[in-house]
């Protein structure tokens, strides 16, 4: 499902209040994943999403980078954040709480440094020399699958879930900036009365 851009004039007001990006204003349930086709930079970005999963048993893929052709990606393993590369697994013992709702932020900067946060707190950091966290580009557009597993495992590491917020930035936010991004609940209050019938939205903001 490709994200649709908001065209209402009130988006500018909401974007300014969010201090860089506009979140999803309506929760979206998916059992097959969402492809943010062409909505994110390939190698330098911040992806901030709030969601909850139906099933946390074992490995559950959160972000796929290779158009579902590689097992590498961002996972929850028994609700603990992990990044699987071609040769290694980076993991944390912190429980994400994704059955009730959690916010995960993934950043990759121009040097290849990848940072992953849970609810604004840094959990994982590694140098992505092998480009496992670089999104595949097909036909000139990046493919970023959310809550979708790859074909190499027969899509077995996939769980249905509800995505309540997605924010995309064209650069890597600092730890301080990640902590300062408003929570979806506060953004809903800001957006009340401004937006009506919109499903998915994302407003790209360039680094100043």
């Amino acid at each position: 499902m490709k994200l649709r851009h908001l065209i209402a004039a009130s988006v500018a007001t909401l974007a300014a209040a969010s201090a860089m990006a506009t979140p999803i204003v309506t929760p979206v349930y998916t059992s097959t994943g969402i492809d943010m086709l062409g909505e994110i930079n390939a190698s330098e970005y911040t992806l901030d999403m709030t969601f909850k999963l139906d099933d946390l048993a074992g490995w559950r893929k959160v972000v796929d980078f290779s158009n579902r052709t590689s097992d590498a990606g961002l996972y929850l393993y028994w609700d603990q954040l992990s990044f699987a590369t071609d040769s290694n697994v980076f993991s944390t013992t912190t429980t994400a709480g994704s059955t009730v709702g959690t916010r995960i932020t993934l950043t990759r900067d121009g040097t290849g440094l990848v940072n992953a946060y849970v609810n604004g707190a840094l959990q994982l950091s590694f140098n992505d020399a092998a480009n496992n966290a670089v999104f595949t580009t097909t036909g000139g557009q990046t493919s970023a699958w959310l809550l979708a597993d790859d074909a190499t495992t027969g899509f077995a590491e996939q769980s249905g879930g509800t995505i309540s917020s997605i924010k995309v930035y064209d650069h890597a936010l600092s730890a301080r900036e990640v902590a300062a991004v408003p929570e979806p609940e506060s953004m809903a209050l800001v957006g009340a009365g401004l937006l009506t019938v919109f499903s998915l939205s994302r407003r790209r903001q360039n680094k100043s």
Side-chain angles (χ1 to χ4, degrees):
M1 181 187 299
K2 186 178 180 183
L3 300 185
R4 298 193 193 108
H5 295 282
L6 290 180
I7 59 175
S10 56
V11 169
T13 303
L14 185 56
S18 69
M20 279 186 235
T22 303
I24 294 175
V25 294
T26 300
V28 176
Y29 180 83
T30 178
S31 59
T32 57
I34 292 175
D35 187 8
M36 293 176 56
L37 187 63
E39 298 293 333
I40 189 168
N41 282 348
S43 60
E44 186 174 357
Y45 56 82
T46 295
L47 174 61
D48 184 281
M49 59 186 294
T50 301
F51 63 94
K52 62 181 179 179
L53 298 180
D54 297 337
D55 183 5
L56 294 178
W59 293 93
R60 294 294 174 233
K61 202 166 198 177
V62 177
V63 182
D64 178 90
F65 299 85
S66 58
N67 202 17
R68 310 180 82 171
T69 62
S70 170
D71 199 34
L74 186 68
Y75 287 85
L76 286 170
Y77 178 64
W78 296 102
D79 202 30
Q80 296 175 351
L81 192 65
S82 299
F83 196 106
T85 71
D86 292 332
S87 59
N88 203 354
V89 175
F90 302 90
S91 59
T92 177
T93 58
T94 301
T95 301
S98 52
T99 54
V100 295
T102 190
R103 174 185 165 221
I104 289 179
T105 310
L106 184 70
T107 71
R108 189 184 191 279
D109 68 15
T111 70
L113 178 65
V114 173
N115 289 324
Y117 304 77
V118 174
N119 297 321
L122 180 64
Q123 300 295 328
L124 300 175
S125 185
F126 65 94
N127 183 14
D128 185 31
N131 294 331
N132 286 288
V134 173
F135 291 101
T136 296
T137 300
T138 303
Q141 292 184 308
T142 53
S143 178
W145 280 94
L146 308 180
L147 307 191
D149 194 25
D150 51 273
T152 60
T153 59
F155 309 108
E157 296 170 343
Q158 179 169 306
S159 170
T162 299
I163 300 176
S164 58
S165 174
I166 299 174
K167 305 183 187 110
V168 172
Y169 303 81
D170 289 339
H171 59 285
L173 296 184
S174 66
R176 180 178 175 181
E177 289 172 319
V178 169
V181 172
E183 293 298 320
E185 291 79 7
S186 62
M187 287 309 306
L189 293 175
V190 172
L194 294 179
L195 302 179
T196 53
V197 185
F198 295 111
S199 55
L200 295 174
S201 67
R202 198 274 304 154
R203 189 176 184 86
R204 176 167 294 168
Q205 299 291 323
N206 292 322
K207 187 176 183 181
S208 58

